[in-house]
Amino acid sequence: MEGESVMDENAESSNNVIIGEHEEDENESRSVGNIDGDTSGDKKDSPRGKSSKRRKYSKHKANQVKELEAFFEENPNPTRQERLELGKKLLMDNKQVKYWFQNKRVKYMMRLEHHETVIMKEENRKLRIEQLTLK
């Protein structure tokens, strides 16, 4: 009996070791990527199951932003042809110009909504004060 409990304890501990080693092996096999060792292109990691090649973020130059801002004031929704011409003039890709305008429109709308919210809050505060003075 006593020999069996020792054997059971040894079997359990050896099972734990084997399971632990097996889990490590699984994790290692999951992290192995391309021949170069790059795991960023794994199909499992991307949202649609396709490998993605993202560009490194680069900040636009001051003259590019100035031109884009000026164009945005005239026309916040440029056509594809206008974007292509602007991109060629500013040495930017069409997608960069497209996304810049898209982001700028979103920022503009958010600022506008924030401004409206501030005005509404101020009007609401004035109405509350007026209501309290009438009571």
Side-chain angles (χ1 to χ4, degrees), residues 18-78:
I18 292 171
I19 291 171
E21 287 176 6
H22 181 67
E23 287 174 353
E24 286 177 22
D25 290 342
E26 279 183 18
N27 291 337
E28 286 176 11
S29 65
R30 287 183 192 152
S31 65
V32 174
N34 303 348
I35 296 172
D36 301 333
D38 180 24
T39 60
S40 62
D42 288 351
K43 290 182 180 181
K44 294 177 186 177
D45 294 338
S46 64
R48 295 185 182 162
K50 299 177 183 176
S51 63
S52 63
K53 294 182 181 179
R54 295 187 98 187
R55 284 183 152 198
K56 187 177 176 185
Y57 176 79
S58 60
K59 196 172 179 179
H60 300 299
K61 294 179 177 42
N63 66 326
Q64 291 174 326
V65 173
K66 187 177 177 180
E67 287 281 334
L68 291 165
E69 292 277 354
F71 198 93
F72 183 83
E73 290 296 320
E74 294 176 29
N75 182 9
N77 292 302

Side-chain angles (χ1 to χ4, degrees), residues 121-135:
K121 284 182 178 180
E122 183 61 27
E123 289 176 5
N124 193 8
R125 187 184 67 80
K126 287 178 182 177
L127 288 172
R128 283 185 182 167
I129 292 171
E130 184 180 325
Q131 185 181 25
L132 288 173
T133 56
L134 293 175
K135 285 185 179 181

